[in-house]
PDB file of all heavy atoms in Angstrom:
ATOM      1  N   PRO A   2       0.810  -1.228   0.000  1.00  0.00           N
ATOM      2  CA  PRO A   2       0.000   0.000   0.000  1.00  0.00           C
ATOM      3  C   PRO A   2       0.840   1.273   0.000  1.00  0.00           C
ATOM      4  O   PRO A   2       0.451   2.275  -0.594  1.00  0.00           O
ATOM      5  CB  PRO A   2      -0.817  -0.121   1.291  1.00  0.00           C
ATOM      6  CG  PRO A   2      -0.834  -1.566   1.608  1.00  0.00           C
ATOM      7  CD  PRO A   2       0.476  -2.099   1.130  1.00  0.00           C
ATOM      8  N   HIS A   3       1.993   1.244   0.666  1.00  0.00           N
ATOM      9  CA  HIS A   3       2.842   2.439   0.728  1.00  0.00           C
ATOM     10  C   HIS A   3       3.485   2.733  -0.621  1.00  0.00           C
ATOM     11  O   HIS A   3       3.923   3.872  -0.865  1.00  0.00           O
ATOM     12  CB  HIS A   3       3.921   2.260   1.804  1.00  0.00           C
ATOM     13  CG  HIS A   3       3.361   2.011   3.162  1.00  0.00           C
ATOM     14  ND1 HIS A   3       4.008   1.246   4.112  1.00  0.00           N
ATOM     15  CD2 HIS A   3       2.197   2.410   3.746  1.00  0.00           C
ATOM     16  CE1 HIS A   3       3.278   1.192   5.213  1.00  0.00           C
ATOM     17  NE2 HIS A   3       2.179   1.882   5.017  1.00  0.00           N
ATOM     18  N   ASN A   4       3.561   1.725  -1.488  1.00  0.00           N
ATOM     19  CA  ASN A   4       4.043   1.943  -2.856  1.00  0.00           C
ATOM     20  C   ASN A   4       2.901   2.303  -3.803  1.00  0.00           C
ATOM     21  O   ASN A   4       3.083   3.106  -4.725  1.00  0.00           O
ATOM     22  CB  ASN A   4       4.739   0.684  -3.387  1.00  0.00           C
ATOM     23  CG  ASN A   4       6.050   0.412  -2.684  1.00  0.00           C
ATOM     24  OD1 ASN A   4       6.700   1.319  -2.174  1.00  0.00           O
ATOM     25  ND2 ASN A   4       6.449  -0.846  -2.646  1.00  0.00           N
ATOM     26  N   HIS A   5       1.727   1.722  -3.587  1.00  0.00           N
ATOM     27  CA  HIS A   5       0.613   1.894  -4.511  1.00  0.00           C
ATOM     28  C   HIS A   5      -0.136   3.209  -4.296  1.00  0.00           C
ATOM     29  O   HIS A   5      -1.023   3.542  -5.085  1.00  0.00           O
ATOM     30  CB  HIS A   5      -0.365   0.729  -4.374  1.00  0.00           C
ATOM     31  CG  HIS A   5       0.268  -0.611  -4.574  1.00  0.00           C
ATOM     32  ND1 HIS A   5      -0.259  -1.780  -4.060  1.00  0.00           N
ATOM     33  CD2 HIS A   5       1.405  -0.982  -5.236  1.00  0.00           C
ATOM     34  CE1 HIS A   5       0.511  -2.800  -4.384  1.00  0.00           C
ATOM     35  NE2 HIS A   5       1.531  -2.343  -5.094  1.00  0.00           N
ATOM     36  N   ILE A   6       0.194   3.934  -3.232  1.00  0.00           N
ATOM     37  CA  ILE A   6      -0.531   5.173  -2.930  1.00  0.00           C
ATOM     38  C   ILE A   6      -0.279   6.258  -3.965  1.00  0.00           C
ATOM     39  O   ILE A   6      -1.125   7.119  -4.200  1.00  0.00           O
ATOM     40  CB  ILE A   6      -0.162   5.679  -1.512  1.00  0.00           C
ATOM     41  CG1 ILE A   6      -1.042   6.856  -1.093  1.00  0.00           C
ATOM     42  CG2 ILE A   6       1.308   6.069  -1.454  1.00  0.00           C
ATOM     43  CD1 ILE A   6      -2.508   6.539  -0.988  1.00  0.00           C
ATOM     44  N   TRP A   7       0.868   6.221  -4.655  1.00  0.00           N
ATOM     45  CA  TRP A   7       1.215   7.333  -5.554  1.00  0.00           C
ATOM     46  C   TRP A   7       0.296   7.413  -6.765  1.00  0.00           C
ATOM     47  O   TRP A   7      -0.158   8.518  -7.105  1.00  0.00           O
ATOM     48  CB  TRP A   7       2.690   7.236  -5.933  1.00  0.00           C
ATOM     49  CG  TRP A   7       3.569   7.167  -4.723  1.00  0.00           C
ATOM     50  CD1 TRP A   7       4.339   6.119  -4.323  1.00  0.00           C
ATOM     51  CD2 TRP A   7       3.722   8.171  -3.706  1.00  0.00           C
ATOM     52  NE1 TRP A   7       4.967   6.401  -3.128  1.00  0.00           N
ATOM     53  CE2 TRP A   7       4.603   7.649  -2.726  1.00  0.00           C
ATOM     54  CE3 TRP A   7       3.192   9.447  -3.523  1.00  0.00           C
ATOM     55  CZ2 TRP A   7       4.968   8.371  -1.590  1.00  0.00           C
ATOM     56  CZ3 TRP A   7       3.553  10.174  -2.389  1.00  0.00           C
ATOM     57  CH2 TRP A   7       4.433   9.628  -1.446  1.00  0.00           C
ATOM     58  N   PRO A   8      -0.030   6.322  -7.461  1.00  0.00           N
ATOM     59  CA  PRO A   8      -1.033   6.430  -8.532  1.00  0.00           C
ATOM     60  C   PRO A   8      -2.401   6.862  -8.005  1.00  0.00           C
ATOM     61  O   PRO A   8      -3.131   7.571  -8.708  1.00  0.00           O
ATOM     62  CB  PRO A   8      -1.078   5.017  -9.120  1.00  0.00           C
ATOM     63  CG  PRO A   8       0.240   4.409  -8.771  1.00  0.00           C
ATOM     64  CD  PRO A   8       0.592   4.977  -7.437  1.00  0.00           C
ATOM     65  N   VAL A   9      -2.740   6.452  -6.787  1.00  0.00           N
ATOM     66  CA  VAL A   9      -4.007   6.885  -6.187  1.00  0.00           C
ATOM     67  C   VAL A   9      -3.989   8.393  -5.977  1.00  0.00           C
ATOM     68  O   VAL A   9      -4.962   9.098  -6.282  1.00  0.00           O
ATOM     69  CB  VAL A   9      -4.247   6.142  -4.856  1.00  0.00           C
ATOM     70  CG1 VAL A   9      -5.481   6.702  -4.150  1.00  0.00           C
ATOM     71  CG2 VAL A   9      -4.405   4.652  -5.086  1.00  0.00           C
ATOM     72  N   ILE A  10      -2.881   8.892  -5.459  1.00  0.00           N
ATOM     73  CA  ILE A  10      -2.745  10.333  -5.239  1.00  0.00           C
ATOM     74  C   ILE A  10      -2.854  11.097  -6.553  1.00  0.00           C
ATOM     75  O   ILE A  10      -3.517  12.145  -6.638  1.00  0.00           O
ATOM     76  CB  ILE A  10      -1.401  10.632  -4.540  1.00  0.00           C
ATOM     77  CG1 ILE A  10      -1.493  10.228  -3.052  1.00  0.00           C
ATOM     78  CG2 ILE A  10      -0.998  12.089  -4.684  1.00  0.00           C
ATOM     79  CD1 ILE A  10      -0.172  10.310  -2.307  1.00  0.00           C
ATOM     80  N   ASN A  11      -2.216  10.564  -7.593  1.00  0.00           N
ATOM     81  CA  ASN A  11      -2.248  11.241  -8.894  1.00  0.00           C
ATOM     82  C   ASN A  11      -3.661  11.356  -9.452  1.00  0.00           C
ATOM     83  O   ASN A  11      -3.969  12.293 -10.197  1.00  0.00           O
ATOM     84  CB  ASN A  11      -1.362  10.499  -9.894  1.00  0.00           C
ATOM     85  CG  ASN A  11       0.104  10.552  -9.533  1.00  0.00           C
ATOM     86  OD1 ASN A  11       0.538  11.410  -8.771  1.00  0.00           O
ATOM     87  ND2 ASN A  11       0.884   9.629 -10.062  1.00  0.00           N
ATOM     88  N   ALA A  12      -4.509  10.392  -9.102  1.00  0.00           N
ATOM     89  CA  ALA A  12      -5.871  10.367  -9.649  1.00  0.00           C
ATOM     90  C   ALA A  12      -6.891  11.015  -8.719  1.00  0.00           C
ATOM     91  O   ALA A  12      -8.092  11.010  -9.021  1.00  0.00           O
ATOM     92  CB  ALA A  12      -6.284   8.919  -9.925  1.00  0.00           C
ATOM     93  N   SER A  13      -6.438  11.571  -7.592  1.00  0.00           N
ATOM     94  CA  SER A  13      -7.364  12.091  -6.584  1.00  0.00           C
ATOM     95  C   SER A  13      -7.281  13.613  -6.467  1.00  0.00           C
ATOM     96  O   SER A  13      -6.189  14.188  -6.573  1.00  0.00           O
ATOM     97  CB  SER A  13      -7.059  11.454  -5.223  1.00  0.00           C
ATOM     98  OG  SER A  13      -7.860  12.039  -4.201  1.00  0.00           O
ATOM     99  N   PRO A  14      -8.403  14.273  -6.199  1.00  0.00           N
ATOM    100  CA  PRO A  14      -8.368  15.720  -5.955  1.00  0.00           C
ATOM    101  C   PRO A  14      -7.938  16.082  -4.541  1.00  0.00           C
ATOM    102  O   PRO A  14      -7.712  17.260  -4.250  1.00  0.00           O
ATOM    103  CB  PRO A  14      -9.825  16.138  -6.203  1.00  0.00           C
ATOM    104  CG  PRO A  14     -10.628  14.930  -5.819  1.00  0.00           C
ATOM    105  CD  PRO A  14      -9.782  13.742  -6.225  1.00  0.00           C
ATOM    106  N   HIS A  15      -7.809  15.088  -3.666  1.00  0.00           N
ATOM    107  CA  HIS A  15      -7.456  15.355  -2.279  1.00  0.00           C
ATOM    108  C   HIS A  15      -5.953  15.591  -2.140  1.00  0.00           C
ATOM    109  O   HIS A  15      -5.156  15.051  -2.917  1.00  0.00           O
ATOM    110  CB  HIS A  15      -7.893  14.193  -1.384  1.00  0.00           C
ATOM    111  CG  HIS A  15      -9.379  14.020  -1.303  1.00  0.00           C
ATOM    112  ND1 HIS A  15     -10.163  14.722  -0.431  1.00  0.00           N
ATOM    113  CD2 HIS A  15     -10.219  13.236  -2.017  1.00  0.00           C
ATOM    114  CE1 HIS A  15     -11.431  14.374  -0.593  1.00  0.00           C
ATOM    115  NE2 HIS A  15     -11.492  13.471  -1.551  1.00  0.00           N
ATOM    116  N   PRO A  16      -5.536  16.379  -1.164  1.00  0.00           N
ATOM    117  CA  PRO A  16      -4.107  16.683  -0.988  1.00  0.00           C
ATOM    118  C   PRO A  16      -3.287  15.417  -0.751  1.00  0.00           C
ATOM    119  O   PRO A  16      -3.699  14.535   0.013  1.00  0.00           O
ATOM    120  CB  PRO A  16      -4.089  17.602   0.240  1.00  0.00           C
ATOM    121  CG  PRO A  16      -5.466  18.176   0.326  1.00  0.00           C
ATOM    122  CD  PRO A  16      -6.377  17.107  -0.188  1.00  0.00           C
ATOM    123  N   ALA A  17      -2.126  15.350  -1.394  1.00  0.00           N
ATOM    124  CA  ALA A  17      -1.277  14.157  -1.280  1.00  0.00           C
ATOM    125  C   ALA A  17      -0.879  13.852   0.159  1.00  0.00           C
ATOM    126  O   ALA A  17      -0.963  12.688   0.589  1.00  0.00           O
ATOM    127  CB  ALA A  17      -0.037  14.318  -2.158  1.00  0.00           C
ATOM    128  N   PRO A  18      -0.416  14.845   0.958  1.00  0.00           N
ATOM    129  CA  PRO A  18      -0.038  14.510   2.337  1.00  0.00           C
ATOM    130  C   PRO A  18      -1.186  13.930   3.155  1.00  0.00           C
ATOM    131  O   PRO A  18      -0.976  13.038   3.982  1.00  0.00           O
ATOM    132  CB  PRO A  18       0.432  15.853   2.906  1.00  0.00           C
ATOM    133  CG  PRO A  18       0.848  16.644   1.711  1.00  0.00           C
ATOM    134  CD  PRO A  18      -0.118  16.248   0.634  1.00  0.00           C
ATOM    135  N   GLU A  19      -2.408  14.420   2.903  1.00  0.00           N
ATOM    136  CA  GLU A  19      -3.559  13.911   3.649  1.00  0.00           C
ATOM    137  C   GLU A  19      -3.821  12.446   3.326  1.00  0.00           C
ATOM    138  O   GLU A  19      -4.050  11.622   4.219  1.00  0.00           O
ATOM    139  CB  GLU A  19      -4.791  14.741   3.320  1.00  0.00           C
ATOM    140  CG  GLU A  19      -6.081  14.233   3.962  1.00  0.00           C
ATOM    141  CD  GLU A  19      -7.305  14.989   3.482  1.00  0.00           C
ATOM    142  OE1 GLU A  19      -7.192  16.199   3.215  1.00  0.00           O
ATOM    143  OE2 GLU A  19      -8.378  14.355   3.371  1.00  0.00           O
ATOM    144  N   LEU A  20      -3.785  12.093   2.045  1.00  0.00           N
ATOM    145  CA  LEU A  20      -4.031  10.708   1.647  1.00  0.00           C
ATOM    146  C   LEU A  20      -2.948   9.780   2.179  1.00  0.00           C
ATOM    147  O   LEU A  20      -3.234   8.680   2.674  1.00  0.00           O
ATOM    148  CB  LEU A  20      -4.111  10.611   0.123  1.00  0.00           C
ATOM    149  CG  LEU A  20      -5.294  11.313  -0.543  1.00  0.00           C
ATOM    150  CD1 LEU A  20      -5.166  11.247  -2.054  1.00  0.00           C
ATOM    151  CD2 LEU A  20      -6.622  10.703  -0.096  1.00  0.00           C
ATOM    152  N   LEU A  21      -1.687  10.205   2.078  1.00  0.00           N
ATOM    153  CA  LEU A  21      -0.595   9.372   2.582  1.00  0.00           C
ATOM    154  C   LEU A  21      -0.692   9.219   4.088  1.00  0.00           C
ATOM    155  O   LEU A  21      -0.510   8.119   4.623  1.00  0.00           O
ATOM    156  CB  LEU A  21       0.747   9.984   2.196  1.00  0.00           C
ATOM    157  CG  LEU A  21       1.978   9.220   2.689  1.00  0.00           C
ATOM    158  CD1 LEU A  21       2.049   7.823   2.080  1.00  0.00           C
ATOM    159  CD2 LEU A  21       3.254   9.996   2.396  1.00  0.00           C
ATOM    160  N   ARG A  22      -0.985  10.301   4.779  1.00  0.00           N
ATOM    161  CA  ARG A  22      -1.094  10.248   6.238  1.00  0.00           C
ATOM    162  C   ARG A  22      -2.182   9.264   6.670  1.00  0.00           C
ATOM    163  O   ARG A  22      -1.964   8.420   7.534  1.00  0.00           O
ATOM    164  CB  ARG A  22      -1.403  11.647   6.793  1.00  0.00           C
ATOM    165  CG  ARG A  22      -1.597  11.684   8.309  1.00  0.00           C
ATOM    166  CD  ARG A  22      -1.927  13.069   8.822  1.00  0.00           C
ATOM    167  NE  ARG A  22      -2.150  13.030  10.255  1.00  0.00           N
ATOM    168  CZ  ARG A  22      -1.194  13.074  11.172  1.00  0.00           C
ATOM    169  NH1 ARG A  22       0.069  13.158  10.797  1.00  0.00           N
ATOM    170  NH2 ARG A  22      -1.484  13.026  12.455  1.00  0.00           N
ATOM    171  N   ASN A  23      -3.346   9.366   6.032  1.00  0.00           N
ATOM    172  CA  ASN A  23      -4.443   8.484   6.420  1.00  0.00           C
ATOM    173  C   ASN A  23      -4.114   7.024   6.127  1.00  0.00           C
ATOM    174  O   ASN A  23      -4.467   6.131   6.909  1.00  0.00           O
ATOM    175  CB  ASN A  23      -5.721   8.903   5.699  1.00  0.00           C
ATOM    176  CG  ASN A  23      -6.250  10.236   6.195  1.00  0.00           C
ATOM    177  OD1 ASN A  23      -5.900  10.694   7.284  1.00  0.00           O
ATOM    178  ND2 ASN A  23      -7.089  10.885   5.400  1.00  0.00           N
ATOM    179  N   LEU A  24      -3.432   6.769   5.000  1.00  0.00           N
ATOM    180  CA  LEU A  24      -3.044   5.391   4.695  1.00  0.00           C
ATOM    181  C   LEU A  24      -2.123   4.835   5.769  1.00  0.00           C
ATOM    182  O   LEU A  24      -2.331   3.722   6.278  1.00  0.00           O
ATOM    183  CB  LEU A  24      -2.349   5.325   3.340  1.00  0.00           C
ATOM    184  CG  LEU A  24      -1.706   3.968   3.018  1.00  0.00           C
ATOM    185  CD1 LEU A  24      -2.772   2.894   2.868  1.00  0.00           C
ATOM    186  CD2 LEU A  24      -0.837   4.049   1.779  1.00  0.00           C
ATOM    187  N   ILE A  25      -1.084   5.587   6.129  1.00  0.00           N
ATOM    188  CA  ILE A  25      -0.109   5.097   7.101  1.00  0.00           C
ATOM    189  C   ILE A  25      -0.758   4.882   8.465  1.00  0.00           C
ATOM    190  O   ILE A  25      -0.431   3.927   9.186  1.00  0.00           O
ATOM    191  CB  ILE A  25       1.091   6.056   7.177  1.00  0.00           C
ATOM    192  CG1 ILE A  25       1.910   5.941   5.877  1.00  0.00           C
ATOM    193  CG2 ILE A  25       1.965   5.765   8.386  1.00  0.00           C
ATOM    194  CD1 ILE A  25       3.072   6.896   5.786  1.00  0.00           C
ATOM    195  N   LEU A  26      -1.706   5.724   8.818  1.00  0.00           N
ATOM    196  CA  LEU A  26      -2.409   5.523  10.088  1.00  0.00           C
ATOM    197  C   LEU A  26      -3.300   4.287  10.031  1.00  0.00           C
ATOM    198  O   LEU A  26      -3.437   3.568  11.027  1.00  0.00           O
ATOM    199  CB  LEU A  26      -3.229   6.767  10.434  1.00  0.00           C
ATOM    200  CG  LEU A  26      -2.403   7.998  10.819  1.00  0.00           C
ATOM    201  CD1 LEU A  26      -3.312   9.207  11.005  1.00  0.00           C
ATOM    202  CD2 LEU A  26      -1.589   7.742  12.084  1.00  0.00           C
ATOM    203  N   HIS A  27      -3.889   4.008   8.877  1.00  0.00           N
ATOM    204  CA  HIS A  27      -4.708   2.798   8.755  1.00  0.00           C
ATOM    205  C   HIS A  27      -3.843   1.534   8.798  1.00  0.00           C
ATOM    206  O   HIS A  27      -4.284   0.497   9.323  1.00  0.00           O
ATOM    207  CB  HIS A  27      -5.520   2.837   7.462  1.00  0.00           C
ATOM    208  CG  HIS A  27      -6.814   3.574   7.589  1.00  0.00           C
ATOM    209  ND1 HIS A  27      -7.930   3.042   8.198  1.00  0.00           N
ATOM    210  CD2 HIS A  27      -7.170   4.823   7.188  1.00  0.00           C
ATOM    211  CE1 HIS A  27      -8.911   3.912   8.164  1.00  0.00           C
ATOM    212  NE2 HIS A  27      -8.492   5.013   7.555  1.00  0.00           N
ATOM    213  N   THR A  28      -2.635   1.571   8.244  1.00  0.00           N
ATOM    214  CA  THR A  28      -1.768   0.391   8.321  1.00  0.00           C
ATOM    215  C   THR A  28      -1.106   0.274   9.691  1.00  0.00           C
ATOM    216  O   THR A  28      -0.539  -0.771  10.005  1.00  0.00           O
ATOM    217  CB  THR A  28      -0.677   0.425   7.232  1.00  0.00           C
ATOM    218  OG1 THR A  28       0.068   1.639   7.334  1.00  0.00           O
ATOM    219  CG2 THR A  28      -1.279   0.315   5.846  1.00  0.00           C
ATOM    220  N   GLY A  29      -1.186   1.327  10.491  1.00  0.00           N
ATOM    221  CA  GLY A  29      -0.564   1.319  11.814  1.00  0.00           C
ATOM    222  C   GLY A  29      -1.515   0.972  12.942  1.00  0.00           C
ATOM    223  O   GLY A  29      -1.327   1.432  14.082  1.00  0.00           O
ATOM    224  N   ARG A  30      -2.514   0.160  12.654  1.00  0.00           N
ATOM    225  CA  ARG A  30      -3.441  -0.250  13.710  1.00  0.00           C
ATOM    226  C   ARG A  30      -2.730  -1.233  14.661  1.00  0.00           C
ATOM    227  O   ARG A  30      -2.133  -2.215  14.208  1.00  0.00           O
ATOM    228  CB  ARG A  30      -4.682  -0.908  13.114  1.00  0.00           C
ATOM    229  CG  ARG A  30      -5.434  -0.029  12.132  1.00  0.00           C
ATOM    230  CD  ARG A  30      -6.682  -0.721  11.647  1.00  0.00           C
ATOM    231  NE  ARG A  30      -7.703  -0.769  12.689  1.00  0.00           N
ATOM    232  CZ  ARG A  30      -8.729  -1.624  12.694  1.00  0.00           C
ATOM    233  NH1 ARG A  30      -8.830  -2.539  11.725  1.00  0.00           N
ATOM    234  NH2 ARG A  30      -9.621  -1.600  13.654  1.00  0.00           N
ATOM    235  N   PRO A  31      -2.779  -1.000  15.962  1.00  0.00           N
ATOM    236  CA  PRO A  31      -2.042  -1.848  16.922  1.00  0.00           C
ATOM    237  C   PRO A  31      -2.789  -3.129  17.250  1.00  0.00           C
ATOM    238  O   PRO A  31      -3.510  -3.216  18.246  1.00  0.00           O
ATOM    239  CB  PRO A  31      -1.913  -0.937  18.145  1.00  0.00           C
ATOM    240  CG  PRO A  31      -3.128  -0.071  18.078  1.00  0.00           C
ATOM    241  CD  PRO A  31      -3.437   0.136  16.624  1.00  0.00           C
ATOM    242  N   ARG A  32      -2.575  -4.143  16.420  1.00  0.00           N
ATOM    243  CA  ARG A  32      -3.285  -5.414  16.634  1.00  0.00           C
ATOM    244  C   ARG A  32      -2.740  -6.180  17.840  1.00  0.00           C
ATOM    245  O   ARG A  32      -3.374  -7.126  18.307  1.00  0.00           O
ATOM    246  CB  ARG A  32      -3.203  -6.267  15.376  1.00  0.00           C
ATOM    247  CG  ARG A  32      -1.798  -6.583  14.919  1.00  0.00           C
ATOM    248  CD  ARG A  32      -1.809  -7.283  13.562  1.00  0.00           C
ATOM    249  NE  ARG A  32      -0.461  -7.545  13.082  1.00  0.00           N
ATOM    250  CZ  ARG A  32       0.257  -6.689  12.390  1.00  0.00           C
ATOM    251  NH1 ARG A  32      -0.251  -5.500  12.100  1.00  0.00           N
ATOM    252  NH2 ARG A  32       1.468  -6.994  11.982  1.00  0.00           N
ATOM    253  N   LEU A  33      -1.563  -5.820  18.333  1.00  0.00           N
ATOM    254  CA  LEU A  33      -1.007  -6.404  19.550  1.00  0.00           C
ATOM    255  C   LEU A  33      -0.948  -5.345  20.641  1.00  0.00           C
ATOM    256  O   LEU A  33      -0.543  -4.201  20.387  1.00  0.00           O
ATOM    257  CB  LEU A  33       0.403  -6.953  19.298  1.00  0.00           C
ATOM    258  CG  LEU A  33       0.541  -8.129  18.339  1.00  0.00           C
ATOM    259  CD1 LEU A  33       2.003  -8.566  18.257  1.00  0.00           C
ATOM    260  CD2 LEU A  33      -0.326  -9.294  18.779  1.00  0.00           C
ATOM    261  N   ARG A  34      -1.302  -5.713  21.842  1.00  0.00           N
ATOM    262  CA  ARG A  34      -1.253  -4.763  22.953  1.00  0.00           C
ATOM    263  C   ARG A  34       0.166  -4.349  23.294  1.00  0.00           C
ATOM    264  O   ARG A  34       0.385  -3.306  23.905  1.00  0.00           O
ATOM    265  CB  ARG A  34      -1.923  -5.376  24.187  1.00  0.00           C
ATOM    266  CG  ARG A  34      -3.424  -5.591  24.036  1.00  0.00           C
ATOM    267  CD  ARG A  34      -4.029  -6.138  25.318  1.00  0.00           C
ATOM    268  NE  ARG A  34      -5.471  -6.325  25.197  1.00  0.00           N
ATOM    269  CZ  ARG A  34      -6.249  -6.796  26.170  1.00  0.00           C
ATOM    270  NH1 ARG A  34      -5.702  -7.126  27.353  1.00  0.00           N
ATOM    271  NH2 ARG A  34      -7.546  -6.930  25.976  1.00  0.00           N
ATOM    272  N   SER A  35       1.140  -5.162  22.881  1.00  0.00           N
ATOM    273  CA  SER A  35       2.536  -4.856  23.224  1.00  0.00           C
ATOM    274  C   SER A  35       3.102  -3.692  22.409  1.00  0.00           C
ATOM    275  O   SER A  35       4.112  -3.099  22.795  1.00  0.00           O
ATOM    276  CB  SER A  35       3.415  -6.090  22.992  1.00  0.00           C
ATOM    277  OG  SER A  35       3.371  -6.491  21.621  1.00  0.00           O
TER     278      SER A  35
END
């Protein structure tokens, strides 16, 4: 996903930093309590 975000950004009207930030936060879900 961190590689595939760039074509998504190119095709989107939303700001690039916002889209990248939201992606990284979604992949950073803490599935382990540790």
Side-chain angles (χ1 to χ4, degrees):
H3 301 149
N4 291 334
H5 304 157
I6 188 62
W7 306 114
V9 174
I10 285 173
N11 294 340
S13 174
H15 294 275
E19 176 187 326
L20 294 174
L21 179 63
R22 177 181 178 83
N23 291 341
L24 171 66
I25 289 176
L26 290 174
H27 275 283
T28 56
R30 302 183 72 200
R32 58 187 178 273
L33 295 182
R34 293 183 179 180
S35 61

